Amino acid sequence: MEQYIKTGLVGATGYTGMELARLMIGHPVFKLVLATSRKEAGKTLVDIFPHLQATILADVPLVSPDPDVLAKECDLVFLAVPHGTAMNIAAELLARKVRVIDLSADFRLHDAGVYEAWYNVTHTQQQLLSQAVYGLPELYAQDIAHAELIANPGCYPTSAILGLYPALQQGLIKTEDIVVDSKSGATGAGRKASVSSLFCEVNENFRAYNLGQHRHTPEIEQEVSVAASTPVTLSFNTHLVPIDRGILSTIYTRLNQPATLTAVHDLFTRFYAHKSWVRVLPQGALPQTKWVRGTMFCDIGLAVDPRTDRLIIVTAIDNLCRGASGQALANANIMFGLDQTLGLHGGTLIP
Amino acid sequence: MEQYIKTGLVGATGYTGMELARLMIGHPVFKLVLATSRKEAGKTLVDIFPHLQATILADVPLVSPDPDVLAKECDLVFLAVPHGTAMNIAAELLARKVRVIDLSADFRLHDAGVYEAWYNVTHTQQQLLSQAVYGLPELYAQDIAHAELIANPGCYPTSAILGLYPALQQGLIKTEDIVVDSKSGATGAGRKASVSSLFCEVNENFRAYNLGQHRHTPEIEQEVSVAASTPVTLSFNTHLVPIDRGILSTIYTRLNQPATLTAVHDLFTRFYAHKSWVRVLPQGALPQTKWVRGTMFCDIGLAVDPRTDRLIIVTAIDNLCRGASGQALANANIMFGLDQTLGLHGGTLIP
Amino acid sequence: MEQYIKTGLVGATGYTGMELARLMIGHPVFKLVLATSRKEAGKTLVDIFPHLQATILADVPLVSPDPDVLAKECDLVFLAVPHGTAMNIAAELLARKVRVIDLSADFRLHDAGVYEAWYNVTHTQQQLLSQAVYGLPELYAQDIAHAELIANPGCYPTSAILGLYPALQQGLIKTEDIVVDSKSGATGAGRKASVSSLFCEVNENFRAYNLGQHRHTPEIEQEVSVAASTPVTLSFNTHLVPIDRGILSTIYTRLNQPATLTAVHDLFTRFYAHKSWVRVLPQGALPQTKWVRGTMFCDIGLAVDPRTDRLIIVTAIDNLCRGASGQALANANIMFGLDQTLGLHGGTLIP
Amino acid sequence: MEQYIKTGLVGATGYTGMELARLMIGHPVFKLVLATSRKEAGKTLVDIFPHLQATILADVPLVSPDPDVLAKECDLVFLAVPHGTAMNIAAELLARKVRVIDLSADFRLHDAGVYEAWYNVTHTQQQLLSQAVYGLPELYAQDIAHAELIANPGCYPTSAILGLYPALQQGLIKTEDIVVDSKSGATGAGRKASVSSLFCEVNENFRAYNLGQHRHTPEIEQEVSVAASTPVTLSFNTHLVPIDRGILSTIYTRLNQPATLTAVHDLFTRFYAHKSWVRVLPQGALPQTKWVRGTMFCDIGLAVDPRTDRLIIVTAIDNLCRGASGQALANANIMFGLDQTLGLHGGTLIP
């Protein structure tokens, strides 16, 4: 068993922790040796997740988070704790030469001021920002390969950035008229007890929230500004869908000049030609969240509306897999020189 | 019982027919005396809808649609049949002096050419278009009161028009930069057997469809152009939510000049001050489809995004009640000089 | 407005409180004048339930529960608070000559010892047990009419008792071989923040709980023992269905002697011949929870299995309406000499 | 690639076909080379299942079912077509020396007369019944290893047999007092267009069907009679849950003599000690369908009710994976001498 790469998970009890555990069961190289939870320390994973009975993860011990213990036991640690908390643990682990993949927002924004303005938190580890790599494999695989610290992208940003990147980079659309209308399943709200996340409040319901004010806005803008080679300000808006998993973003853009669907489709297809996980759907087809459930796929559908000079880009991802833990594992693969799809080619669970 | 107004329902077996039946059970003046279904003729309503057992509608006979029979038995007929079919039945009934409320699209568009272009059907009753009244009570109550033929609004258009009207009429927003991103529950697809509407295809799924091409587009444009006093072309796009009932439309607009949320909220509140069914929610609150389920309410929430100069208007309705049968009954109330809310003040079924 | 009967609601913030509010909106005689909530005192109902905007209940004040205030303002008070808490408030109100309908379990069991054994709580108001009337209108309408204190039946017991009563009273089935397999929607778990009631824990899931140990067991046994004229011990078991509302109970019984479905169906039909809300479905038809949603109906379906000498009785109710607040309102109607169906004949919201 | 074992799938367009495809994507030895569909012949799998884009199955050709073609291309064929159709294809393939795993009911019942009585179909291949092996790996692994024809168990029977087997074999319970109350997700109804399977008919609904008359009854009785070493007649009853996947069976039995939960739990734990996929949950824990979703696990929970001398056994499986295609693949593994869990150890997709 020595050839395993030993990993730890800080923050085991949430949905991203559960998803990482799911993917670890089937991964041939990474081995989860330790998980942390202040509240559940002393138990094993199966005690809090009965569905792990009879799997290789059943007996993984739950311990209180201690950087020394983690550093001793692990080559790599995933942080699945809230922003604000993650940054300090990351610093402690990096100081002990452990590689870190942070699933929180703490290292995603290059500008600490922007972070502090949107998250209303002081950034205490700004010295690490320059070494953190934004872990979107389609854009930054080379940097990821040499990173010690990965800022794993947010779920909404993954869906928005992958949709907008080709169009902005190729100058297809206006930078000042972009609306991202995103819809997310309920796992996006996390696994905290709260009345607004109860079954009877979410089920048979659909609602908007955080219009124009979602904290993922600057993350999207940061990355699409790179694509556009100019600062982009856009309107990003979110909704809650009564499903467990999935984000679908409908992205409204204005064409710089008239274009056919065929031309746009070709451009996107070429851009993602050698990317394992981005599927530009055939012309006329539009994504469905169920088609990507449990996978790393980002499906993209395109529509051109000549009546209003608009290009509408629709993307769908699984917010827990592609939008969080699966992407984290992909980054881990790349960091350790493995095939990036290792342990990540399971088929879509459908229906 | 002579004081009842006798009504008929053409097309009983779909979801709008079921919803009209539900509302009829509690209505003190209208009485459903006859329903039609080619396939189920000879039965009674309870035979096809077991949930009507022990209600006053159980024994309503199902007959084949025959204008003479309908005219003999009914003062008013609701048409809940597909577009293309409704127009001819309407003509036959009007010729027999029966008032008609048509829930299809056949008489909604004033311009037959626009109708034919979007619906790909020949309009065979164009002479009736000028007398048809678009049955949106907030806008056309006076005309409805004297109408013989009501074109009952579409579900999506109801949600879009009520959201945009105040802003366009008051010159608050630009007419050339409007995106309506609508999400509808599955009753919107009707009650036809089809694989794409199966539980396992819709459940735990979210998808876009008909981007830029939905047939409700010209209906929305027709009415908001009245509000704007200028032709409006907009981008209208639709999605399928895994819920039974409800439409939520997120409407993206660009402000003509900077405005505060308070100012916009005041404008909307004043506009709908004396309307029973439009609820402008408190500042900061956003609609949820569950809050309006089973009711005539159209809830409106507002957000101003100074970063992008946008006013975002969110509306929620019950597509079957406000978006179809409830609105039809409201129109019937108005046509017959009754209080428009008669039989329509039931509380929201929540949760 | 003097002709209104003034009512109060103790415990406004749960699902039964919400349901009572819904039904009150349409009731022509009872008027909700006061609601209590320790946490929300000082607000009005619309502040905690935005869906009540523009209804007659919007401005009902929320106050801390005070028996003097309640007694001064109300002719009747509904208690929608947990067992253990309700009994003392009931005593205080009765002492002040206010009639009480208690939706908790505190006065349902005639034997305080049984109550204390199953609920693990001391019964501090045992002197009231003899005057409390079990509020199942089909069985106890005459007593309800003269009651000061109603013990409103539990949701599961309502579904089980109405299904078993005719068969036991007529000696159709063995008393010692009864299994009640019940399935409930998630509103049954109440509106408390808890991880196990989160959308993502309940949705796309089905599970059993409390097998053989549910607190509603003695309540069912108490009433069906009356029907059987002998003590009945039965197996009662519960499951959680991912729906908001509805209980379906599949009741397995053993026939005393062979019987045809027709004979059994006749017996049930005669038993409930003059009851407004119990619908014995046609032979061969089985209940669906959706057919009774939002209503007082208890639907009953029957199957005879000659292979195993079993009669299977299936019942469906809406747990919030028939199983709680609707039944409470029916009891209120009867207590105040009104038609028992007043305000309760709305049609099923379907779909 | 020569080391692949080539397989064919007859009947690709249903949910079991989709599930087999999902599992094939991750299987290291079996390769799907051919799928059949009369209606879709000439296309490839990705044409009918867009979610297979960019997977190794995308280009699998869809052809009309032709035994010669199948025999030429495949070492093993899975039959995912309706009963009555499967038997003849099986015969043709066996005659051509191709091994067959039949997911229909055609070869599950040893007694053709029983088959014909319950399925109302003439069995035209009775000569094959004696060589067909009932493919439940926990019971018949040795026979499966040498079989040419596997009768893959039904979904409900898998859940009922695995729950009852230990108790009956060990004489723990009475054979004449067994009730199986099963609840299934909607994939159990297949992928045919029908009104009763529409989203809006299934969602927010729960119903019983086929009480005492389900065709899986004789299959369950056949196998549990082996366990009991005496003919068992039981009551088997089914319900529809608004979820995609999952069967939960609550099995009511009567103890032969008093037993503690600990004793019963030990008995079950020992019985399944070396079985990879049966998980006897800890005492007090009860299964949830979500815990087994997408997996081969059969979870078993136990409750002893001394009040009524009953042992209640609860089992949960994924009806598409364990109850159909996953089990088929497990059988294929065993038939070809592979580790039975090969390609089947993916973690539960939760939530």
Side-chain angles (χ1 to χ4, degrees):
Chain A
M1 289 257 182
E2 293 114 75
Q3 70 276 43
Y4 278 113
I5 298 171
K6 292 175 291 174
T7 68
L9 168 61
V10 175
T13 59
Y15 290 131
T16 49
M18 289 168 77
E19 177 70 349
L20 194 71
R22 174 180 79 93
L23 294 166
M24 280 290 181
I25 289 176
H27 200 284
V29 175
F30 292 115
K31 185 180 165 71
L32 188 65
V33 297
L34 210 59
T36 80
S37 162
R38 289 186 195 281
K39 227 176 60 187
E40 310 285 358
K43 299 183 179 172
T44 61
L45 269 185
V46 76
D47 294 328
I48 60 166
F49 295 131
H51 67 275
L52 293 179
Q53 185 173 336
T55 71
I56 54 165
L57 293 187
D59 299 327
V60 172
L62 285 160
V63 300
S64 280
D66 176 328
D68 286 325
V69 173
L70 286 161
K72 178 156 171 276
E73 301 286 341
C74 306
D75 305 306
L76 169 70
V77 171
F78 297 93
L79 304 183
V81 289
H83 69 266
T85 303
M87 59 176 87
N88 295 319
I89 305 176
E92 302 230 48
L93 293 169
L94 290 168
R96 288 164 177 79
K97 305 291 180 204
V98 180
R99 282 187 261 190
V100 172
I101 297 179
D102 175 20
L103 283 84
S104 87
D106 282 353
F107 299 101
R108 292 179 196 155
L109 299 176
H110 306 325
D111 184 331
V114 173
Y115 174 86
E116 295 183 342
W118 283 85
Y119 285 85
N120 204 23
V121 150
T122 302
H123 204 301
T124 59
Q125 307 292 340
Q126 301 190 23
Q127 78 288 355
L128 295 175
L129 285 174
S130 62
Q131 75 176 86
V133 174
Y134 191 71
L136 199 57
E138 283 79 3
L139 303 182
Y140 300 111
Q142 286 188 314
D143 296 331
I144 294 164
H146 303 99
E148 301 294 314
L149 170 59
I150 297 290
N152 210 58
C155 49
Y156 284 123
T158 298
S159 80
I161 296 164
L162 290 173
L164 281 166
Y165 217 93
L168 284 168
Q169 197 197 56
Q170 303 293 315
L172 201 61
I173 55 173
K174 297 188 196 299
T175 57
E176 72 281 6
D177 195 359
I178 298 173
V179 172
V180 180
D181 183 291
S182 290
K183 301 89 175 174
S184 173
T187 46
R191 199 160 174 252
K192 297 172 301 290
S194 86
V195 168
S196 65
S197 295
L198 292 179
F199 179 82
C200 299
E201 309 287 320
V202 174
N203 179 48
E204 282 298 292
N205 200 2
F206 185 86
R207 62 182 177 90
Y209 68 100
N210 266 2
L211 299 186
Q213 301 178 323
H214 197 287
R215 287 166 166 174
H216 284 171
T217 306
E219 182 180 342
I220 300 169
E221 290 178 346
Q222 169 180 288
E223 296 302 318
V224 302
S225 294
V226 175
S229 303
T230 186
V232 174
T233 301
L234 49 73
S235 174
F236 171 60
N237 308 283
T238 51
H239 303 76
L240 178 61
V241 188
I243 59 176
D244 287 343
R245 288 168 180 250
I247 285 177
L248 188 134
S249 293
T250 312
I251 306 172
Y252 298 98
T253 72
R254 195 84 79 157
L255 289 163
N256 271 319
Q257 46 197 19
T260 63
L261 176 57
T262 299
V264 175
H265 189 267
D266 283 355
L267 184 154
F268 272 74
T269 303
R270 277 196 309 274
F271 189 90
Y272 288 119
H274 303 292
K275 307 302 180 189
S276 307
W277 293 313
V278 178
R279 304 192 295 197
V280 181
L281 299 184
Q283 289 184 41
L286 293 172
Q288 307 195 8
T289 59
K290 216 168 190 171
W291 291 352
V292 298
R293 189 164 57 162
T295 77
M296 278 293 287
F297 290 122
C298 174
D299 282 2
I300 300 181
L302 301 163
V304 169
D305 180 11
R307 296 175 69 252
T308 59
D309 301 322
R310 289 188 192 273
L311 165 65
I312 308 174
I313 306 158
V314 184
T315 67
I317 62 166
D318 180 321
N319 59 306
L320 283 186
C321 188
R322 176 59 191 243
S325 306
Q327 191 144 266
L329 198 50
N331 284 320
N333 282 336
I334 300 170
M335 287 169 91
F336 283 84
L338 306 171
D339 177 341
Q340 68 171 8
T341 68
L342 202 65
L344 290 168
H345 23 48
T348 306
L349 187 83
I350 179 169
Chain B
M1 289 260 180
E2 293 114 75
Q3 70 274 46
Y4 278 115
I5 297 170
K6 292 176 291 177
T7 68
L9 168 60
V10 175
T13 59
Y15 290 131
T16 50
M18 289 168 77
E19 177 70 349
L20 194 70
R22 173 180 80 93
L23 295 165
M24 279 290 180
I25 288 176
H27 200 284
V29 174
F30 292 116
K31 186 181 165 71
L32 188 65
V33 296
L34 211 60
T36 79
S37 162
R38 286 184 197 281
K39 229 176 60 185
E40 309 286 357
K43 298 182 179 172
T44 61
L45 270 185
V46 75
D47 294 328
I48 59 168
F49 295 130
H51 67 275
L52 294 180
Q53 185 174 336
T55 72
I56 56 166
L57 293 187
D59 299 326
V60 172
L62 285 160
V63 298
S64 280
D66 176 327
D68 287 324
V69 173
L70 286 161
K72 179 155 170 277
E73 301 286 341
C74 307
D75 305 305
L76 168 69
V77 170
F78 297 93
L79 304 183
V81 289
H83 71 266
T85 304
M87 60 175 88
N88 295 318
I89 305 176
E92 301 231 50
L93 292 170
L94 290 168
R96 287 165 179 80
K97 306 292 178 200
V98 180
R99 284 187 257 189
V100 172
I101 296 178
D102 174 21
L103 283 86
S104 88
D106 282 352
F107 299 102
R108 293 179 195 155
L109 300 176
H110 305 327
D111 183 331
V114 174
Y115 173 87
E116 295 183 343
W118 283 84
Y119 285 86
N120 204 19
V121 148
T122 302
H123 204 303
T124 59
Q125 308 291 339
Q126 302 190 20
Q127 78 289 353
L128 294 176
L129 287 174
S130 62
Q131 74 176 86
V133 173
Y134 190 71
L136 200 57
E138 283 80 5
L139 303 182
Y140 300 111
Q142 286 189 314
D143 296 333
I144 294 165
H146 304 98
E148 302 293 314
L149 170 60
I150 296 289
N152 210 59
C155 49
Y156 284 123
T158 298
S159 81
I161 296 164
L162 290 173
L164 281 166
Y165 217 92
L168 283 169
Q169 198 198 54
Q170 302 293 315
L172 202 61
I173 56 173
K174 296 190 198 298
T175 58
E176 72 282 6
D177 196 358
I178 298 172
V179 172
V180 180
D181 183 291
S182 291
K183 302 88 174 174
S184 173
T187 46
R191 200 161 175 252
K192 296 172 301 291
S194 85
V195 167
S196 66
S197 296
L198 292 179
F199 178 82
C200 299
E201 308 287 319
V202 174
N203 179 49
E204 282 298 293
N205 200 2
F206 186 85
R207 63 183 177 91
Y209 69 100
N210 266 3
L211 299 186
Q213 302 179 324
H214 197 287
R215 286 166 168 175
H216 283 171
T217 307
E219 183 180 341
I220 299 168
E221 291 179 344
Q222 168 181 290
E223 296 302 319
V224 302
S225 294
V226 175
S229 303
T230 186
V232 175
T233 300
L234 48 72
S235 175
F236 171 61
N237 309 283
T238 52
H239 304 76
L240 179 61
V241 188
I243 58 175
D244 288 343
R245 288 168 180 248
I247 285 176
L248 188 134
S249 292
T250 312
I251 307 173
Y252 299 97
T253 72
R254 194 83 80 157
L255 289 163
N256 271 318
Q257 46 196 17
T260 63
L261 177 56
T262 299
V264 175
H265 190 267
D266 284 355
L267 184 155
F268 272 74
T269 303
R270 277 197 309 276
F271 189 89
Y272 287 119
H274 303 290
K275 307 302 180 189
S276 308
W277 294 313
V278 178
R279 303 192 296 196
V280 181
L281 300 182
Q283 289 184 39
L286 293 172
Q288 307 196 7
T289 59
K290 217 168 188 171
W291 292 351
V292 298
R293 190 166 54 163
T295 77
M296 279 292 289
F297 289 123
C298 174
D299 282 3
I300 300 181
L302 300 164
V304 170
D305 180 10
R307 296 174 71 253
T308 59
D309 301 322
R310 290 188 191 273
L311 165 64
I312 308 175
I313 306 158
V314 184
T315 66
I317 63 166
D318 179 321
N319 60 306
L320 283 187
C321 187
R322 176 59 190 244
S325 305
Q327 190 143 268
L329 198 51
N331 284 320
N333 282 337
I334 299 171
M335 288 170 91
F336 282 84
L338 307 171
D339 177 342
Q340 69 172 5
T341 68
L342 203 66
L344 289 168
H345 23 50
T348 305
L349 189 83
I350 180 169
Chain C
M1 287 263 182
E2 293 115 75
Q3 70 274 43
Y4 278 114
I5 298 171
K6 292 175 290 175
T7 69
L9 168 61
V10 175
T13 59
Y15 290 132
T16 50
M18 288 168 77
E19 177 70 349
L20 194 71
R22 175 182 78 93
L23 295 166
M24 279 290 179
I25 289 175
H27 200 285
V29 174
F30 292 116
K31 185 180 165 69
L32 188 65
V33 296
L34 211 59
T36 80
S37 162
R38 287 185 197 281
K39 228 176 59 188
E40 309 286 357
K43 299 183 179 172
T44 61
L45 271 185
V46 75
D47 293 329
I48 61 167
F49 295 131
H51 67 274
L52 294 179
Q53 184 174 338
T55 72
I56 56 165
L57 294 186
D59 299 328
V60 173
L62 285 160
V63 299
S64 281
D66 177 327
D68 287 324
V69 173
L70 286 160
K72 178 155 171 277
E73 301 287 341
C74 306
D75 305 305
L76 168 70
V77 171
F78 297 92
L79 304 182
V81 289
H83 70 267
T85 303
M87 58 175 88
N88 295 319
I89 305 176
E92 301 230 49
L93 292 169
L94 289 168
R96 287 165 178 79
K97 305 294 180 202
V98 180
R99 283 187 258 190
V100 172
I101 296 178
D102 174 21
L103 283 84
S104 89
D106 282 352
F107 299 102
R108 292 179 196 157
L109 299 176
H110 305 325
D111 184 331
V114 174
Y115 173 87
E116 295 182 343
W118 283 83
Y119 285 86
N120 205 21
V121 149
T122 302
H123 204 301
T124 58
Q125 308 291 341
Q126 302 190 22
Q127 76 288 355
L128 295 175
L129 286 174
S130 62
Q131 73 177 87
V133 174
Y134 190 72
L136 200 56
E138 283 79 4
L139 303 182
Y140 300 111
Q142 285 188 315
D143 297 333
I144 294 164
H146 304 98
E148 302 294 315
L149 170 59
I150 297 290
N152 210 58
C155 49
Y156 283 124
T158 298
S159 82
I161 297 163
L162 291 173
L164 281 166
Y165 217 93
L168 284 169
Q169 197 199 55
Q170 303 292 314
L172 201 62
I173 55 173
K174 297 190 197 298
T175 58
E176 71 283 4
D177 195 359
I178 298 172
V179 172
V180 180
D181 183 292
S182 291
K183 301 90 175 173
S184 174
T187 46
R191 198 158 176 256
K192 296 174 302 288
S194 85
V195 168
S196 65
S197 295
L198 292 180
F199 179 82
C200 299
E201 308 287 319
V202 174
N203 180 48
E204 281 300 293
N205 199 2
F206 185 86
R207 61 182 179 92
Y209 69 99
N210 266 2
L211 298 186
Q213 302 178 323
H214 197 286
R215 287 166 167 174
H216 284 171
T217 306
E219 182 180 341
I220 300 170
E221 290 179 344
Q222 169 180 289
E223 296 302 318
V224 302
S225 295
V226 175
S229 303
T230 187
V232 175
T233 302
L234 50 72
S235 174
F236 171 60
N237 308 283
T238 51
H239 304 76
L240 179 61
V241 188
I243 59 175
D244 287 342
R245 290 169 178 247
I247 285 177
L248 188 136
S249 293
T250 312
I251 307 173
Y252 298 97
T253 73
R254 195 84 80 157
L255 288 163
N256 271 319
Q257 45 196 17
T260 63
L261 177 57
T262 299
V264 175
H265 190 267
D266 283 354
L267 185 154
F268 271 75
T269 304
R270 277 196 309 274
F271 189 89
Y272 288 119
H274 303 291
K275 307 302 180 190
S276 307
W277 294 312
V278 179
R279 303 192 295 196
V280 182
L281 300 183
Q283 289 185 41
L286 292 172
Q288 307 195 8
T289 59
K290 216 168 190 173
W291 291 351
V292 299
R293 189 164 57 162
T295 77
M296 279 292 290
F297 289 123
C298 174
D299 282 3
I300 300 182
L302 300 162
V304 170
D305 180 11
R307 295 174 71 252
T308 59
D309 301 323
R310 289 187 192 274
L311 166 63
I312 307 174
I313 305 158
V314 184
T315 66
I317 62 166
D318 180 320
N319 59 307
L320 282 187
C321 187
R322 177 58 190 245
S325 306
Q327 191 144 267
L329 198 50
N331 284 320
N333 282 336
I334 299 172
M335 289 169 91
F336 283 84
L338 307 171
D339 177 341
Q340 69 171 6
T341 67
L342 203 66
L344 289 168
H345 22 49
T348 306
L349 189 83
I350 180 170
Chain D
M1 288 257 185
E2 292 113 76
Q3 71 273 45
Y4 278 115
I5 298 171
K6 292 173 291 174
T7 68
L9 167 61
V10 175
T13 59
Y15 290 132
T16 49
M18 288 167 77
E19 177 70 350
L20 194 71
R22 174 180 79 93
L23 295 165
M24 280 291 179
I25 289 175
H27 200 284
V29 175
F30 293 115
K31 186 180 164 71
L32 187 65
V33 296
L34 210 59
T36 80
S37 161
R38 286 186 196 282
K39 228 176 60 186
E40 309 285 358
K43 299 182 179 171
T44 61
L45 270 185
V46 75
D47 293 328
I48 60 167
F49 296 131
H51 66 276
L52 294 179
Q53 184 174 338
T55 72
I56 56 166
L57 293 186
D59 299 327
V60 172
L62 285 159
V63 300
S64 281
D66 177 326
D68 287 325
V69 173
L70 286 160
K72 178 154 170 277
E73 301 288 342
C74 306
D75 304 306
L76 168 69
V77 171
F78 298 93
L79 304 183
V81 289
H83 70 266
T85 303
M87 59 175 88
N88 295 319
I89 305 176
E92 301 230 50
L93 292 169
L94 290 168
R96 287 165 179 79
K97 305 293 178 203
V98 180
R99 283 188 260 190
V100 172
I101 297 179
D102 174 21
L103 284 85
S104 89
D106 281 353
F107 299 102
R108 294 178 194 155
L109 299 176
H110 306 325
D111 183 330
V114 173
Y115 173 87
E116 295 182 343
W118 283 84
Y119 285 85
N120 205 22
V121 149
T122 302
H123 203 302
T124 58
Q125 307 291 341
Q126 302 190 19
Q127 77 288 354
L128 295 176
L129 286 175
S130 62
Q131 75 176 86
V133 174
Y134 190 71
L136 200 57
E138 282 80 3
L139 303 182
Y140 300 111
Q142 286 189 315
D143 296 332
I144 294 165
H146 303 99
E148 303 293 315
L149 170 60
I150 297 289
N152 210 59
C155 49
Y156 284 123
T158 297
S159 81
I161 296 163
L162 290 173
L164 281 165
Y165 216 93
L168 283 169
Q169 198 198 56
Q170 303 292 316
L172 201 63
I173 55 172
K174 295 189 197 299
T175 58
E176 72 281 6
D177 195 358
I178 298 172
V179 172
V180 181
D181 183 291
S182 291
K183 301 87 175 173
S184 173
T187 46
R191 199 160 175 254
K192 296 172 301 291
S194 85
V195 168
S196 65
S197 295
L198 291 180
F199 179 82
C200 298
E201 310 285 320
V202 174
N203 179 49
E204 281 298 293
N205 200 1
F206 186 84
R207 62 182 178 91
Y209 69 99
N210 267 1
L211 299 186
Q213 302 178 324
H214 197 286
R215 287 166 166 173
H216 283 170
T217 306
E219 183 180 342
I220 300 169
E221 290 179 345
Q222 168 181 289
E223 296 302 318
V224 302
S225 295
V226 175
S229 303
T230 185
V232 175
T233 301
L234 51 72
S235 175
F236 171 60
N237 309 283
T238 50
H239 304 76
L240 178 61
V241 188
I243 59 176
D244 287 343
R245 289 169 178 248
I247 285 177
L248 188 136
S249 293
T250 313
I251 307 173
Y252 298 98
T253 72
R254 193 83 81 158
L255 289 163
N256 271 320
Q257 44 196 20
T260 63
L261 177 57
T262 300
V264 175
H265 189 267
D266 283 355
L267 185 154
F268 271 74
T269 304
R270 278 197 307 274
F271 189 90
Y272 288 120
H274 303 291
K275 307 302 180 189
S276 308
W277 294 312
V278 179
R279 303 192 294 197
V280 182
L281 300 183
Q283 289 184 42
L286 293 173
Q288 307 195 8
T289 58
K290 216 168 189 172
W291 291 351
V292 299
R293 191 166 53 163
T295 77
M296 278 294 288
F297 290 123
C298 175
D299 282 3
I300 300 182
L302 300 163
V304 170
D305 180 11
R307 296 174 71 253
T308 59
D309 302 322
R310 290 187 192 276
L311 165 64
I312 307 175
I313 306 157
V314 184
T315 66
I317 62 167
D318 180 321
N319 60 305
L320 283 187
C321 187
R322 176 59 189 243
S325 306
Q327 190 144 264
L329 198 51
N331 285 319
N333 282 337
I334 300 170
M335 289 168 91
F336 283 85
L338 306 171
D339 177 342
Q340 68 172 6
T341 67
L342 203 65
L344 289 168
H345 24 49
T348 305
L349 188 83
I350 180 169

